[in-house]
Structures are given as C-alpha cells and as structure tokens.
Amino acid sequence: MTIEWLYADTPVREDDVRDAGKTLGVVFPEDYVECAAKNNGADVEPYLFDVGNTTKSFGTLLMYDEDDSEYIIKIFHDYKDTLPKGLIPFAFDPAGNLICFDYEARTENPIIVFWEHEGAGEKEVLISHEGLTEEEAEKVARENVFYVADTFTDFLNKLHD
C-alpha cells in the first residue's frame, strides 16, 4: 500500500532531527530521520493501525520547529512525568495519545509502541501519594504501553484504511 504524507510543515534538515534525538538522549533510527525531515508535522494516509485487537488512528508527526506547540522536545517534556522510562514520542493520535519509540530494551533500533494517556498517572504522585517504589511506579506506567511494530518502517507498513 502506498503511503501519502499530507499537510507537512516546512521540511527540516536530517541533522535537525538527529540533534533533537541527541538532546533527548537517544539516536533516532535512520528511516525515521529521513521521513521526519521531509514530512515535518505531517498527517499520513492511510492512517489506521492495529494495537492488539483494537484499531487506532495516526494523527500527526511531531514537529521540529522550536516555536511550534507540537515541537518534539516540548512534547517530551510535557509528558515526561507520566511516560515510562525509555519512551520517546514521535507522533500523536487524534485523542492525544502518543506513538513512541521504546528504547527501554533496545537502545538501537527501538520498537514502536502506543502510549495511552487515559489513566496514566504521574510517577512522582504514585510514589508520594500511593506509597509505591520507583520501580513499582515504573511498572504501573508501563501498563499503558502497547506494542505496535519492531521498527519505524514496519509501523508504516502496518498502516491501513
């Protein structure tokens, strides 16, 4: 199936994407770097993908414009208190959930996961108010993480109508 990127913002340099990854403490996969640089902030068609037995929607790629509200580094910092360790968002779904790279088990070639924001609590609150240890809070945070694909390219290949 052919993928079409729609409504992209001004393309950025691949080095801008790589530099953002370095700022976030990761190395983005090259297939993603090439795609994100060309399709900065774009929507995609087809946009549906499966998470287990549930169909989800791809919203938009995050941006590489520091002044944009969907700037990838800003989004990471907005969500970092609730995101499990190792998750780096690269896209939204229309409901505000995040599609992420998961570097927890693989620091190179991270898997793609879907992070559901509903019911996700800040880890500090889980520790201070619920009496959980940091490890227990991290385990609770991971309950909202669902496997999607082994690679970014695999993820794009799973998009359907």
Side-chain angles (χ1 to χ4, degrees):
M1 181 169 290
T2 303
I3 291 175
E4 183 178 1
W5 293 96
L6 308 168
Y7 315 114
D9 201 42
T10 305
V12 296
R13 297 174 316 118
E14 289 181 7
D15 282 343
D16 295 335
V17 178
R18 287 185 194 97
D19 289 346
K22 287 178 191 170
T23 299
L24 295 169
V26 299
V27 175
F28 286 133
E30 276 304 304
D31 53 352
Y32 168 75
V33 170
E34 292 169 16
C35 179
K38 284 185 230 170
N39 303 298
N40 186 24
D43 299 350
V44 68
E45 287 281 338
Y47 59 87
L48 300 176
F49 62 97
D50 299 320
V51 177
N53 295 326
T54 306
T55 300
K56 301 291 184 180
S57 297
F58 187 107
T60 59
L61 282 174
L62 296 180
M63 304 282 289
Y64 285 89
D65 174 357
E66 293 180 23
D67 297 325
D68 194 281
S69 64
E70 292 187 0
Y71 176 46
I72 190 167
I73 293 173
K74 178 187 180 317
I75 296 301
F76 173 79
H77 288 293
D78 287 351
Y79 286 88
K80 73 178 181 181
D81 292 337
T82 52
L83 281 175
K85 290 179 185 169
L87 261 58
I88 303 292
F90 65 84
F92 276 119
D93 83 345
N97 300 303
L98 298 171
I99 305 164
C100 304
F101 292 112
D102 188 351
Y103 287 88
E104 183 66 12
R106 292 169 37 180
T107 56
E108 293 180 24
N109 303 315
I111 63 171
I112 308 305
V113 297
F114 182 80
W115 178 77
E116 182 102 32
H117 76 281
E118 293 295 323
E122 288 189 21
K123 290 181 277 186
E124 287 297 319
V125 172
L126 293 171
I127 293 167
S128 63
H129 290 83
E130 302 291 326
L132 300 182
T133 65
E134 189 173 328
E135 186 176 296
E136 290 169 331
E138 188 63 32
K139 187 174 180 182
V140 168
R142 284 228 160 239
E143 291 175 0
N144 286 26
V145 176
F146 304 94
Y147 171 84
V148 177
D150 282 340
T151 67
F152 182 72
T153 297
D154 289 346
F155 170 64
L156 295 181
N157 289 334
K158 289 183 175 190
L159 294 173
H160 61 87
D161 292 325

